[in-house]
Amino acid sequence: MSQDFILETRNLVKAFKGFTAVDDVNLKIERGAIHALIGPNGAGKTTVFNLLTKYLTPTDGSLLYNGRDITAMKPAAIARAGIVRSFQISAVFPHLSVLENVRVALQSREGNSFHFWKPVKVLDRLNDRAMELLADVGLADFASARTLDLPYGRKRALEIATTLALEPELMLLDEPTQGMGHEDVEVVADLIKRVSAGRTILMVEHNLQVVSRLADRITVLQRGAVLTEGDYATVSADPRVREAYLGVAADEPAAPQSRPASVEALAPEARA
Amino acid sequence: EGISDDKVKIGVLADMGGVYADICGPGCVTAVEMAVEDFGGSVLGKPIEVISADDQLKPDVGSAKVRQWIESEQVDTVAGLVSSAVVGAATKVLTDNKKIALISTAASNAFTTSSCSPYNVHWTYNVTAVANGTVKPMVQAGKKKWFFITADYAFGHALEKVATDVVEQNQGEVVGAVRAPLGTTDFSSYVLQAQASGADVVALANAGADTVNSLKTAAEFGLTQTADVAGLLVFTPNAQAMDPSTAGGMTLTTGFYWDYDDATRAWSARFKERHGAIPAMGHAGAYSMTMHYLKAVEAAGTDDSDAVMAKMKEMKPDDFFARNATLRADGRMVHDMYTVKIKNPDERRDGDDIFKVVDVLAGDQVYEPMLPECNFAKS
Amino acid sequence: MNDKKLYLALFILALAAPAVLYPVFLMKVLCFALFACAFNLLLGFAGLLSFGHAAFLGTGGYVTGYLMINAGLTPELGILAGTLAAGLLGAVYGKLAVRREGIYFAMVTLALAQLAFFFYLQAPFTGGEDGLQGVPRGELFGFIDLSNNLAMYYFVLAIFVFGFWLIRRTVHSPFGQVLKAIRENEPRAISLGYNVNDYKWLAFVISSALAGLAGSTKTLVFQLASLNDVHWHLSGEVVLMTLVGGMGTLLGPLVGAGAIVTIQNYLSGGELGNYIHIILGAIFVVCVLAFRSGIVGQFQKMLKQNF
Amino acid sequence: MTSLKPHFDQQGVATGGRKSHREKIRISDLHAFYGESHILHGIDLRVQQGELVTLLGRNGSGRSTTLRAIMNMVGRRSGSIVVNGTETIGLPPHRIAHLGLGYCPEERGIFSSLNVEENLLLPPQVRSDGMSVEELYEMFPNLHERRYSQGTRLSGGEQQMLALARILRTGANILLLDEITEGLAPVIVQKLGEVLVRLKQRGLTILLVEQNFRFAAPIADRHYVMEHGHIVEEVAANELEAKTELLNTYLGV
Amino acid sequence: MATFLGINLFGLFGQLLVGLINGSFYALLSLGLAIIFGLLKIINFAQGAMYMLGAFGAWLALNHLGINYWAALVLVPLAVGAIGILLERVLVRPIAHEDHLYSLLLTFGIALMLQGLFTHLFGSSGMPYAIPDELKGGTRLPFMYLPDYRAWIIVASAVVCGGTWWMIEKTRLGAYLRAGTENPQLMQAFGINVPLMVTLTFGFGVALAGFAGVMAAPVYSVSPEMGSNLLIVVFAIVVIGGMGSIGGAILTGLGMGIVEGLTKYFYPEASTTVIFLVMVIVLLLKPAGLFGKEA
Ligand SMILES: Nc1ncnc2c1ncn2[C@@H]1O[C@H](COP(=O)(O)OP(=O)(O)OP(=O)(O)O)[C@@H](O)[C@H]1O
Ligand SMILES: Nc1ncnc2c1ncn2[C@@H]1O[C@H](COP(=O)(O)OP(=O)(O)OP(=O)(O)O)[C@@H](O)[C@H]1O
Ligand SMILES: CC(C)C[C@H](N)C(=O)O
Ligand SMILES: [Mg+2]
Ligand SMILES: [Mg+2]
C-alpha cells in the first residue's frame, strides 16, 4: 500500500432498466495525477462520472474519497468536501458578470450566504481573490463583462476559474474540449495542465491529442467494464483498445500526433 | 335637519355578474331606479341619486364598497344586498355609521335576530318564512321522514336548521342530511344517499344553480318517483331553468309572484320591459322598500337615519308587493307570503308562466316572532 | 444614486396622497402592493412561481383578526402574530414545495393552498364564508387610535416601507446573489456546493411571512378576514398584478397592484360591474399580447432605448 | 490516404438518370439574423451534385447559421437560396425539406418522448431511395442494441449516431451535416468517413460543417472558410497543400 | 342489506359507479387539457370555457336551430374546435414562444371574457336541456337505479378517450405530435407542417371539451359558470396523472372521479378538496405524477 489514492470505486455498478451501463468498476485515482477516462461511445464514461458526483445513485458498490465512504452523500455536500465537476456545455451564470460568477463560488465558502439582511457590499472583499483567479485563466480583462456575451472558449475558461475558486482537491472534467476549435482546445489544454498543479484531475475526453498530452494515467472503459489501464503508450499499444476504440488494425502503429504542422498532419487522426 | 349634502343618495350593492346576478343584480338596480322615478326623482325638493356596485359575492369587497360610499361619497342608505355573508359584513359597517340597510334578497334571518340592528330593514322573505311555508304543511300532511341536501355554507346551514325545527315541532323526523359544497356540479352521489335513507321528503336547502342541478339529478335517478322533492328556496329565474316535466308539481313558498293579480302584473310588465325578464321576489322587494324609504324621508322631513327609520316603522307598507304588511320594530317586514306550485308543461302559456299560487300565508304565521332584545322600540 | 431619488420622491408622494385620494383605497393598494412585492421576491428573484400565495395572506389575516377579536392584542402585536403564523406556514409548505420544480412547484403550492382554504372554510373560528367580521383596529402601542383613517394610513405606509425595504435588501444581499445564481443555472449552483433547496426555502419563508404581513395589515384596515383572502383566485390575481407591473423589477408589483386595484374599484361601481369579467379578461389578453414585460419593465426598456 | 480518397475527380460524376439540376445548392448574397443580431453578411456558395463541400471556421463564425438559414430556421433571412432549382427564400421549412434536404443539427435533436427506433423512423421520407433500417442498424450496432431505450437516454456519442442515421433513412439526397463527429470515438469517426464517401458515390450531395479538419480534409472536394459571417476563402481539395499557411491563420490549425 | 364494517356495501357500489360516471367527464376534460399541454406546452385555462361553450352550443342548437342531441354531439364539438382553431391562430400563436405562464394568463383572460359574455347574454341561472328521448329511463341494478343516460356517458367517454389514446400513442401521427412538442423547429426541418399540426391539435383538444360539454348538457345545468369551477380540478388531475401522459390523464380522471365519489359518501364537505390532497401526496412521492416520465 505505497500509493496514495484520493478516490476509489469499489465494485461500482449502475443498472438502468434491464441494461447495465456500469458493471463492477474498480477505479483508483492517484493523488496529484491527471487521470483520463476513455472508451467507445456508450461505454459508460458519463455514467461513471455522474455516479462520482452523485447525479446518479449507484445500484451497487461504494465510493471512497480520501478513505472515507461517500456513497451516501448529497451532490452539494460532495462539492463542499472538495470534489467539483465541470459541465459539458458552458455551465456559467449567464446574466451575472464574469467577476460575479467567480464570486458566487468563493462565497459558498464564506458562510454568509444565508444573510439576507446584509448589503451585497460585504462580498466586495472577495473581489481580490476573484480577480486573481480570473487572471490565472486569462480573463482579467473581462471581469465586468456580462458572461452571456463571452465567446465559447472564454466561457470554458471562466468555468474553470469558478471551479478553482472552490479550491477543489479533485476536479472532474467531462469532455472539456468538446465542440471547440483547435485554438481553444490548445488554450484549455494548457489551462488544465496549469491548474493541475497541487490537485487531482479526472477527465473524460475523446480528443486523443489532449489525452496523450495531459494524462498521467488512462482507464479504458468498454461496455461498462474496465478494459485496461495504464499510461498512454501502454494503453494505445493494447490491441483490444485499438480495435474497440482507436479503430486501426492491430498491426499498424498508433501514436498521437504532435502539433500538426503540415498537410501531412491533416490526415484523419487515427492514421499514422 | 333637512337633507344632508343636498341630495338623497342610494347605493345599490348587488351581485352584478355572479351566480345570483339574476336574482338580485342589475335587476335590483333597475327596480330601485324605477322606485325613484315613480317617486318623482326628488324628495323635499332635493334630487335622489342612485349608484350601484358589484359585491362579487365577497364580504370584503362589499363591506369595503359600503365603507367608501359612506366615507367619501355621501351615500345615505344601501339597498339590494344579496348574499347573507356580504350583507353581514355590510350591515356592520352601516350600523357603525348609523346608515340604513335595505335588505331585499338575503335569506338569513340573522339580520333581525342574532345580529339585529336598529338600522336593518329586511323586506322580502327569510329562511324561517320559506321553511315554515313549505315544510309545515307537508309534515302535517303526513310526510314525516325528511332528508336534507344542504348547501355547505352559512345560508344552507341556517335554512336546514329552521326547517329541521319545523319538522321536529310537527312530530316529523330528520333521517339524514348531506352538505354539498356550493357550486357542486354533480349531485348524483347525494341523491343516492337521499334515496338510501328512505325519506318521504328530500328537501333542498340550497339556492340558485345548486337547486336546479340537485333537482335535475333527483329526477334522473328516479328519486322524484319514490319521494317528494321540496325546493325550500326557489327564485323564478331558477324555476325557469328547471326542466318543467320534472319540476312540475313541486310546491314552494315565495314572497312575491308576478302573475298574482292586476297590481303585480302591471308593475311586472313595466319591469320586464326595462329589464328583459320577469321580476324575481328580490326585485319587487327592492322596489317596494325603496318606495317606503323615500316616503319615510318625505314624511320625516329629513334624511337623518334615526328619524327616517322611526317613520318607516310607523308607516304601514302597502303596495302591490307588501300586502297586510307591517315593518316590525326589529326591522322585519312581515307580509303575506305565497304557497305556489310549479306548473306542469301543459299548464304553461309561455316561458314566464311558471307558478300557480295555491295559498296565501299570513305573515305572522310564517315569520318568527320578534325577539325581545331586538325590539328597538322598547329599548 | 438615481434609485434613491426615485424612492424618495415616491415616499413624499405617498405621504401627501391621502389629501387627494380616499385613504382606505390607498391602504388597499399598499396592502396588495406589499403582497405582490413579496410574491415577486419568489417569482422575479428566485424564479419560483407560487400559485398558492393567498394561503399566507389569508393566514396572516385570520390569525391577526382572531387574536384582535378574542385576545385583545394591540395592533402591532396582532400583526406580528399574523406575520409569524404565515411565516411558519410558509416554512412547512416551503419545505414540501421546494423539492419540486417549475410547473410542479406551482401545482404543489396550489394544492397546499387549497388545503389551507379547506381548513379555513371548515374551522369553527373563521366564520365560514361570513368571514371574521368586526375586527377592531385597536390602538397602536396602546395610545394611537387607528379607527382614524389617516392614522391607520400612515401606519400602513410604515409597514409597507419596511416590507419593501426588506425585500430590496434581500435582493441585494449575499443571499440574494446566491438566489440569482440558482435561478440562472441551478445544476451549476449545486456543483458549487450550494444546497439550493435551503436557499429556495428561505426565500419562500421570507416571502410568505411578508405576504402574511400584508394580510394582517389588510385585515386591520378592513376589519374583516374572509375566505377570499385564501381563495386561489387571489393567488392568480397576485400573478396578474406582478406581471402587469413587471416581474423581476422592484417597483413593478407596486405599480401593478395600484393598476389592478384601481381598475377593480372602478369596475365594481355601477353599470360596468355587469361587464367586469369581460373587461378584466380583456386586460389579461391585452397585457399578455402587448405588454409582457409589464408597465415598469416596458418603461425601463423605453429609457434604455432613448438614453 | 489514398484508400479514402474519392475515386473520381473534383467535379464528381453525375450518377442516376434523374433530370435534376447539377447544381444542388446555390446561395447568393445570403443575410441572416437572430432577432436584432445580424449573423450572416452576404454569403455566396454553391454545391454541385455529388460534391462534398465543407464549411470551416472558428467557433461562432456562422457555419451552423448557414445551414440553419438554408433550412429557414433562423430569425430572418434575405438573399437567394436555390435548392435543386427551386428558390426557397420564401418557403416555410417543411416545404424546403421536401426538396430532398436532410439536416442533421449540431445539438442532435433527439426526441426524449420517443424511443430510439421511433426516433429513427420519425422523419418522413422525402425520397424513396433512403437506407433501410437494417442497413443503419448494421452500420451503428449500438443503436440496434438500445433500440427500445428512450432517445435521450443514449450516451452522447450514440445520440450523435442516431441523429445521422435518422436522416439517412429519409432518402434525402442533399445532406446538411453539422459537426457529426463531435464526441465520437475515433473508431466511429473513421467509419463515418467511409460512410460519407459511400454516400457521395451514390450521388448524394453533402454540405459538411466540421471542426475536425483532419476528418474532413481527405474526403472533401472543396472547402469554404468562414469568418464573422462572411466567406473569406474557397479552397479546392488539390489546393490544400498550397494554402496550408492561409488555413492556419484562419483556423489556427 | 349487505354490510361490511358497518358500511352499506350496496350504497358503496352505487357511489363507486357514480364516481366512475363523474370520472368519465374528468377523463374527457383532462384528456383535452393533457393533449394541449403535453403536446403543445400550452396551459389552456380556457378549456373550462370551451366545455361551457359545448353545453351552450347544444342548447342553442336545440332551441334556435332545431338540431337534436345526436346531431349536436357531432356538430357542436366541430364548431367548438373551429373556435379553438381561431383562438390559436389569432391569440395563442403570437406568444407560443414565450414562457408557459403567458399562455396560461392569456387563456385565463379568454375564459373570463367568454364567461362574462355568456352571463351577460343568458344570465347566470342556467338553461334546461332535456335528456334525449332514446336515453330516458334507466336500469335497476341490484344496488342502484342506473339512468340510461349515465350509462351512455361511460360508454361514449370510454370510446372517445380510448380512440384518442390509441391515436396519439400508437400511430405515426402521434409520434409526430410528440416529437413536435419537443422540438418543433427540427420537426419542421424534417418536412412536417408543424404550425398546421399545432393548430389542429389545439382544435382537437378544445373539441374534446366541447364534446364533454354536449354530454354534460342533459345532466348538469347549462350555465356560464359550469366550466370555471371544474377547471382547476381537471388541471390538478392532469398533474396527478403526469403532465404529457395521455393515458395518465384518462386513468387519473376516472380514478379521481371515484375518489371524489367516495369522499362524497364519507365526508362530503371535503369532496372539492380531496383531489388537491391527493395531488400533494402524489407529487411528493412521485415528482412527475402517477404516469409521467421522470425527467
Ligand atoms: N438514464 C439512462 N437510462 C438508460 N440507459 C442509459 C441511461 N444513461 C445512459 N444509459 C446507457 O448507458 C450506456 C452508457 O452511457 P454513457 O453516457 O455513460 O456513455 P459514455 O461512455 O459517456 O459515451 P459517450 O462517449 O458517447 O458520451 C449507454 O449505452 C446509454 O445508452
Ligand atoms: N439563437 C441565436 N440567437 C442569437 N444569436 C445566435 C443564435 N445562435 C447563434 N448565434 C450567434 O451567431 C453567431 C454564429 O453562430 P454559429 O452557431 O453559426 O457559429 P458556428 O460557426 O457554427 O460555431 P460553433 O462552433 O459554435 O458551432 C455566433 O456569434 C452566435 O453567438
Ligand atoms: C339565494 C341567495 C340570494 C341567498 C344568499 N346566498 C344568502 O346567503 O342569503
Ligand atoms: Mg458521455
Ligand atoms: Mg344626503
Side-chain angles (χ1 to χ4, degrees):
Chain A
M1 182 73 227
S2 57
Q3 270 173 322
D4 179 14
F5 296 115
I6 185 167
L7 187 78
E8 272 184 68
T9 71
R10 298 221 172 126
N11 309 99
L12 199 59
V13 175
K14 179 67 191 179
F16 298 110
K17 240 181 273 159
F19 182 80
T20 309
V22 173
D23 194 1
D24 197 22
V25 166
N26 291 290
L27 273 182
K28 287 180 190 271
I29 317 285
E30 201 177 316
R31 188 180 304 281
I34 299 186
H35 195 130
L37 205 52
I38 65 171
N41 298 112
K45 304 178 294 289
T46 303
T47 309
V48 166
F49 235 73
N50 286 336
L51 290 170
L52 294 181
T53 48
K54 319 304 284 185
Y55 283 76
L56 288 174
T57 329
T59 312
D60 202 1
S62 55
L63 302 170
L64 269 74
Y65 174 59
N66 283 331
R68 193 153 63 102
D69 191 323
I70 56 163
T71 318
M73 271 165 91
K74 294 248 161 61
I78 293 272
R80 282 193 303 271
I83 306 182
V84 182
R85 86 178 283 182
S86 79
F87 286 79
Q88 262 177 317
I89 359 162
S90 62
V92 291
F93 303 114
H95 293 96
L96 300 186
S97 75
V98 170
L99 183 77
E100 282 173 327
N101 260 274
V102 180
R103 234 170 47 175
V104 165
L106 289 172
Q107 194 190 334
S108 79
R109 301 159 57 85
E110 274 285 287
N112 64 1
S113 299
F114 284 107
H115 294 185
F116 62 85
W117 58 89
K118 282 191 186 150
V120 74
K121 284 202 206 74
V122 301
L123 294 177
D124 284 351
R125 65 191 141 88
L126 301 176
N127 288 359
D128 290 347
R129 176 73 187 124
M131 284 308 293
E132 258 174 65
L133 286 164
L134 287 178
D136 278 355
V137 299
L139 284 179
D141 294 344
F142 297 89
S144 56
R146 190 169 64 147
T147 307
L148 186 63
D149 305 328
L150 288 189
Y152 191 74
R154 295 236 153 80
K155 279 188 192 144
R156 284 320 288 224
L158 172 59
E159 207 199 314
I160 289 173
T162 315
T163 307
L164 288 176
L166 298 178
E167 301 187 5
E169 268 188 87
L170 174 61
M171 273 174 89
L172 305 175
L173 309 175
D174 195 359
E175 306 204 27
T177 66
Q178 182 179 352
M180 284 190 187
H182 294 256
E183 273 175 315
D184 284 335
V185 170
E186 294 298 315
V187 172
V188 170
D190 286 344
L191 192 60
I192 293 173
K193 187 83 208 168
R194 197 140 30 88
V195 304
S196 71
R199 51 176 56 91
T200 313
I201 292 180
L202 173 65
M203 61 189 225
V204 171
E205 181 58 69
H206 278 301
N207 189 327
L208 284 186
Q209 235 183 308
V210 174
V211 171
S212 71
R213 213 175 105 209
L214 296 179
D216 300 314
R217 200 167 174 80
I218 297 168
T219 300
V220 185
L221 281 184
Q222 191 197 10
R223 298 186 149 269
V226 175
L227 183 66
T228 181
E229 220 178 64
D231 61 13
Y232 188 82
T234 326
V235 164
S236 61
D238 188 322
R240 290 172 305 167
V241 176
R242 305 179 54 158
E243 196 201 319
Y245 182 63
L246 299 175
V248 281
D251 51 84
E252 282 181 59
Q257 291 82 16
S258 48
R259 286 218 57 173
S262 66
V263 179
E264 195 37 41
L266 299 174
E269 57 186 15
R271 288 186 52 86
Chain B
E1 282 304 288
I3 300 291
S4 59
D5 318 305
D6 282 333
K7 64 185 169 211
V8 171
K9 199 160 173 181
I10 304 172
V12 182
L13 187 69
D15 173 24
M16 301 299 180
V19 283
Y20 296 138
D22 292 346
I23 291 170
C24 180
C28 270
V29 182
T30 304
V32 170
E33 282 170 352
M34 280 172 70
V36 170
E37 284 163 28
D38 290 353
F39 194 79
S42 66
V43 60
L44 301 170
K46 308 290 184 195
I48 308 166
E49 197 180 319
V50 178
I51 59 174
S52 61
D54 184 5
D55 62 24
Q56 297 167 42
L57 295 173
K58 298 175 184 172
D60 48 345
V61 174
S63 67
K65 197 77 214 179
V66 168
R67 188 188 289 274
Q68 184 180 351
W69 275 348
I70 296 168
E71 288 179 352
S72 74
E73 295 179 33
Q74 299 89 39
V75 162
D76 296 296
T77 183
V78 174
L81 297 172
V82 191
S83 140
S84 296
V86 177
V87 179
T91 51
K92 277 216 165 56
V93 176
L94 287 164
T95 299
D96 282 351
N97 290 280
K98 296 190 193 304
K99 298 287 178 200
I100 298 170
L102 302 173
I103 306 165
S104 81
T105 307
S108 168
N109 57 352
F111 313 116
T112 54
T113 57
S114 55
S115 50
C116 58
S117 145
Y119 300 98
N120 285 353
V121 176
H122 199 179
W123 207 257
T124 313
Y125 74 102
N126 68 11
V127 286
T128 319
V130 291
N132 272 325
T134 308
V135 178
K136 202 196 266 172
M138 291 181 85
V139 193
Q140 284 168 352
K143 310 273 182 189
K144 296 291 181 193
K145 289 185 357 199
W146 285 65
F147 186 95
F148 288 96
I149 295 178
T150 305
D152 186 27
Y153 70 109
F155 147 74
H157 300 171
L159 188 50
E160 182 192 317
K161 185 173 175 310
V162 288
T164 301
D165 290 345
V166 175
V167 170
E168 285 167 358
Q169 277 155 24
N170 293 282
Q171 288 78 49
E173 180 197 357
V174 174
V175 295
V178 58
R179 296 192 165 177
L182 177 63
T184 295
T185 40
D186 183 68
F187 283 88
S188 40
S189 174
Y190 307 124
V191 165
L192 287 190
Q193 294 178 44
Q195 222 158 13
S197 73
D200 300 323
V201 183
V202 175
L204 308 177
N206 50 20
D210 283 353
T211 314
V212 178
N213 286 336
S214 45
L215 178 70
K216 188 172 199 166
T217 310
E220 201 193 342
F221 281 83
L223 179 62
T224 41
Q225 283 147 31
T226 56
D228 282 4
V229 177
L232 296 184
L233 178 53
V234 178
F235 292 83
T236 39
N238 306 134
Q240 285 176 305
M242 292 171 179
D243 182 352
S245 55
T246 58
M250 188 162 95
T251 306
L252 56 99
T253 305
T254 179
F256 171 79
Y257 182 55
W258 72 273
D259 199 17
Y260 177 60
D261 62 11
D262 287 341
T264 56
R265 278 189 286 271
W267 182 81
S268 300
R270 287 203 293 134
F271 180 86
K272 184 174 178 180
E273 174 143 348
R274 287 177 65 146
H275 180 65
I278 53 168
M281 62 171 147
H283 298 134
Y287 175 93
S288 168
M289 70 199 303
T290 306
M291 238 9 187
H292 192 67
Y293 169 84
L294 292 173
K295 283 180 189 155
V297 171
E298 184 155 66
T302 172
D303 65 357
D304 173 73
S305 297
D306 293 311
V308 174
M309 203 67 189
K311 269 281 175 257
M312 282 177 80
K313 287 175 181 168
E314 184 187 314
M315 296 168 25
K316 201 173 151 51
D318 185 22
D319 58 19
F320 71 92
F321 174 88
R323 313 283 176 111
N324 304 316
T326 48
L327 179 57
R328 286 193 322 216
D330 60 357
R332 177 69 253 166
M333 203 281 271
V334 176
H335 64 117
D336 283 356
M337 299 288 286
Y338 308 91
T339 303
V340 299
K341 244 192 170 56
I342 298 184
K343 285 189 175 174
N344 286 315
D346 52 355
E347 298 172 291
R348 299 187 180 192
R349 292 189 307 274
D350 56 31
D352 291 340
D353 185 24
I354 41 177
F355 289 165
K356 182 165 63 199
V357 178
V358 292
D359 201 2
V360 177
L361 305 163
D364 44 15
Q365 285 172 27
V366 292
Y367 285 100
E368 63 270 88
M370 180 154 53
L371 297 175
E373 64 269 29
C374 290
N375 189 343
F376 302 106
K378 283 218 181 93
S379 54
Chain C
M1 229 177 110
N2 230 339
D3 259 15
K4 291 240 162 81
K5 271 190 204 146
L6 179 64
Y7 290 137
L8 191 69
L10 282 174
F11 183 65
I12 292 172
L13 264 179
L15 285 180
V20 206
L21 291 167
Y22 176 51
V24 177
F25 167 75
L26 290 172
M27 290 190 267
K28 185 172 180 187
V29 170
L30 286 178
C31 289
F32 277 111
L34 180 55
F35 181 37
C37 286
F39 170 80
N40 186 41
L41 177 64
L42 268 190
L43 177 62
F45 296 101
L48 298 173
L49 169 61
S50 159
F51 209 74
H53 241 48
F56 308 115
L57 182 94
T59 298
Y62 272 117
V63 169
T64 303
Y66 181 77
L67 292 176
M68 295 291 294
I69 293 174
N70 296 294
L73 291 189
T74 51
E76 67 283 359
L77 288 180
I79 286 183
L80 191 67
T83 308
L84 286 178
L88 212 64
L89 186 70
V92 177
Y93 277 14
K95 200 86 209 162
L96 297 172
V98 296
R99 293 166 52 190
R100 299 290 163 251
E101 277 165 30
I103 192 85
Y104 291 102
F105 176 86
M107 291 322 286
V108 172
T109 48
L110 167 65
L112 290 170
Q114 288 298 105
L115 301 186
F117 180 85
F118 179 68
F119 171 77
Y120 289 115
L121 178 67
Q122 298 292 335
F125 75 92
T126 58
E129 62 294 325
D130 291 352
L132 273 179
Q133 298 182 354
V135 177
R137 281 186 183 172
E139 302 197 324
L140 187 59
F141 307 121
F143 66 93
I144 304 171
D145 183 6
L146 290 181
S147 60
N148 177 319
N149 271 342
L150 268 190
M152 187 71 208
Y153 172 75
Y154 288 111
F155 179 47
V156 173
L157 182 61
I159 288 174
F160 175 80
V161 168
F162 165 76
F164 188 82
W165 170 83
L166 188 69
I167 287 168
R168 185 164 179 276
R169 170 42 56 82
T170 304
V171 169
H172 298 293
S173 72
F175 172 69
Q177 196 71 11
V178 179
L179 273 189
K180 199 165 162 191
I182 292 174
R183 192 184 43 164
E184 296 256 298
N185 190 340
E186 185 165 333
R188 183 51 170 161
I190 296 175
S191 77
L192 292 180
Y194 291 108
N195 278 325
V196 295
N197 284 355
D198 293 352
Y199 290 84
K200 292 180 183 172
W201 176 78
L202 181 59
F204 197 93
V205 175
I206 297 173
S207 171
S208 51
L210 286 172
L213 177 63
S216 297
T217 314
K218 178 172 169 287
T219 290
L220 223 53
V221 172
F222 291 101
Q223 305 183 266
L224 181 85
S226 76
L227 285 175
N228 297 309
D229 299 341
V230 275
H231 199 278
W232 69 271
H233 277 169
L234 189 63
S235 298
E237 226 163 72
V238 76
V239 182
L240 178 67
M241 289 177 184
T242 308
L243 281 179
V244 166
M247 79 177 202
T249 63
L250 278 167
L251 283 176
L254 172 63
V255 175
I260 300 295
V261 171
T262 309
I263 290 167
Q264 282 177 342
N265 227 44
Y266 183 67
L267 287 185
S268 75
E271 298 298 299
L272 282 174
N274 216 336
Y275 298 92
I276 189 161
H277 289 307
I278 305 182
I279 295 173
L280 263 185
I283 292 174
F284 267 93
V285 172
V286 170
C287 273
V288 171
L289 289 179
F291 309 104
R292 266 187 301 282
S293 45
I295 300 173
V296 173
Q298 207 78 22
F299 199 70
Q300 282 173 348
K301 255 194 218 156
M302 262 167 46
L303 283 183
K304 256 194 209 133
Q305 273 163 17
N306 295 331
F307 298 98
Chain D
M1 190 180 276
T2 46
S3 64
L4 286 178
K5 262 257 165 207
H7 295 290
F8 35 80
D9 69 12
Q10 194 216 323
Q11 292 305 308
V13 177
T15 48
R18 190 177 276 136
K19 60 167 175 32
S20 58
H21 302 251
R22 290 268 292 120
E23 191 172 68
K24 285 294 171 181
I25 302 178
R26 176 155 49 80
I27 298 179
S28 0
D29 194 30
L30 174 66
H31 290 256
F33 304 78
Y34 287 115
E36 299 285 299
S37 34
H38 191 167
I39 307 290
L40 298 183
H41 305 261
I43 301 280
D44 294 282
L45 69 77
R46 47 217 65 203
V47 186
Q48 307 290 326
Q49 167 158 29
E51 247 193 328
L52 194 160
V53 172
T54 69
L55 289 178
L56 303 173
R58 291 193 163 93
N59 288 114
S61 56
R63 298 161 302 156
S64 302
T65 305
T66 306
L67 298 195
R68 294 170 61 83
I70 295 173
M71 296 312 296
N72 193 1
M73 292 169 77
V74 293
R76 187 159 61 82
R77 48 184 203 156
S78 70
S80 155
I81 302 174
V82 178
V83 175
N84 244 342
T86 310
E87 174 59 71
T88 67
I89 208 79
L91 290 186
H94 61 271
R95 299 276 305 283
I96 297 177
H98 286 283
L99 297 173
L101 280 175
Y103 169 60
C104 180
E106 196 172 16
E107 68 289 347
R108 299 168 187 144
I110 302 304
F111 296 97
S112 68
S113 51
L114 308 181
N115 69 25
V116 171
E117 191 153 297
E118 284 174 317
N119 262 289
L120 193 57
L121 297 175
L122 182 72
Q125 275 169 318
V126 292
R127 286 185 188 246
S128 54
D129 51 356
M131 291 171 76
S132 71
V133 176
E134 291 71 40
E135 270 179 287
L136 290 167
Y137 277 149
E138 197 185 322
M139 189 181 297
F140 303 111
N142 285 35
L143 299 185
H144 184 253
E145 191 182 339
R146 315 281 300 126
R147 65 187 178 282
Y148 298 125
S149 175
Q150 187 188 328
T152 45
R153 292 268 157 93
L154 290 182
S155 83
E158 289 165 340
Q159 292 189 29
Q160 187 64 62
M161 299 172 199
L162 178 55
L164 181 64
R166 189 165 62 178
I167 59 159
L168 295 180
R169 213 199 100 254
T170 64
N173 58 7
I174 307 172
L175 303 184
L176 309 179
L177 309 179
D178 202 343
E179 310 261 13
I180 49 167
T181 62
E182 191 172 303
L184 291 185
V187 64
I188 306 281
V189 173
Q190 190 184 359
K191 199 151 89 187
L192 274 186
E194 290 159 15
V195 170
L196 292 194
V197 170
R198 277 221 311 272
L199 293 173
K200 232 163 69 113
Q201 284 162 348
R202 284 198 187 187
L204 268 67
T205 308
I206 300 172
L207 184 54
L208 182 69
V209 167
E210 220 4 287
Q211 202 68 261
N212 186 345
F213 186 54
R214 274 177 275 129
F215 166 76
I219 56 174
D221 302 306
R222 271 184 308 130
H223 308 272
Y224 286 104
V225 181
M226 292 191 68
E227 193 164 83
H228 301 309
H230 299 271
I231 287 186
V232 290
E233 196 68 42
E234 181 180 345
V235 183
N238 54 17
E239 301 173 311
L240 268 184
E241 199 135 356
K243 294 199 174 172
T244 306
E245 258 331 283
L246 189 87
L247 286 176
N248 254 329
T249 53
Y250 281 126
L251 307 175
V253 175
Chain E
M1 240 182 242
T3 57
F4 176 69
L5 294 177
I7 298 165
N8 177 342
L9 277 188
F10 275 4
L12 205 60
F13 285 148
Q15 297 300 333
L16 285 174
L17 187 57
V18 159
L20 192 66
I21 296 165
N22 251 328
S24 300
F25 276 107
Y26 284 152
L28 276 176
L29 286 170
S30 59
L31 176 61
L33 211 57
I35 289 175
I36 294 177
F37 180 81
L39 301 177
L40 310 178
K41 296 292 172 234
I42 293 169
I43 299 172
N44 182 21
F45 251 73
Q47 194 74 353
M50 297 297 145
Y51 167 72
M52 182 265 289
L53 276 186
F56 264 102
W59 183 84
L60 287 169
L62 184 67
N63 289 287
H64 292 273
L65 304 172
I67 297 174
N68 73 8
Y69 172 84
W70 300 104
L73 209 51
V74 176
L75 295 178
V76 171
L78 286 179
V80 174
I83 292 173
I85 284 175
L86 197 73
L87 286 179
E88 199 277 335
R89 279 278 148 130
V90 178
L91 297 174
V92 179
R93 173 72 51 88
I95 57 156
H97 301 294
E98 307 291 337
D99 195 303
H100 303 342
L101 185 59
Y102 293 109
S103 62
L104 185 154
L105 287 172
L106 178 86
T107 49
F108 185 60
I110 293 171
L112 272 183
M113 286 170 70
L114 284 174
Q115 190 182 322
L117 183 71
F118 276 75
T119 307
H120 188 66
L121 293 177
F122 299 101
S124 55
S125 295
M127 307 291 179
Y129 189 96
I131 291 176
D133 290 335
E134 296 84 344
L135 292 175
K136 281 199 172 122
T139 319
R140 187 153 291 285
L141 303 178
F143 52 92
M144 71 179 282
Y145 175 83
L146 177 65
D148 287 347
Y149 190 81
R150 301 272 170 168
W152 158 243
I153 289 173
I154 299 184
V155 174
S157 151
V159 169
V160 170
C161 289
T164 307
W165 175 84
W166 179 81
M167 190 185 77
I168 291 175
E169 296 292 340
K170 298 288 159 203
T171 67
R172 199 171 173 74
L173 176 66
Y176 287 169
L177 284 171
R178 280 176 285 150
T181 340
E182 264 184 67
N183 191 341
Q185 256 202 332
L186 185 58
M187 282 307 280
Q188 201 152 0
F190 286 159
I192 288 162
N193 189 345
V194 177
L196 179 68
M197 204 170 79
V198 166
T199 306
L200 292 178
T201 309
F202 193 89
F204 181 73
V206 158
L208 278 177
F211 178 76
V214 181
M215 294 289 294
V219 281
Y220 305 148
S221 100
V222 178
S223 82
E225 303 257 331
M226 64 190 292
S228 70
N229 300 329
L230 216 55
L231 187 72
I232 66 163
V233 171
V234 173
F235 196 52
I237 288 172
V238 175
V239 172
I240 295 172
M243 288 202 260
S245 164
I246 300 301
I250 298 172
L251 293 179
T252 313
L254 292 173
M256 288 300 113
I258 292 173
V259 167
E260 207 188 69
L262 291 179
T263 315
K264 280 178 175 166
Y265 190 62
F266 292 110
Y267 185 18
E269 290 89 341
S271 59
T272 47
T273 309
V274 66
I275 287 177
F276 294 98
L277 182 66
V278 174
M279 179 155 89
V280 171
I281 294 170
V282 167
L283 284 190
L284 291 179
L285 297 181
K286 283 207 82 197
L290 290 178
F291 301 88
K293 291 191 191 106
E294 310 223 353

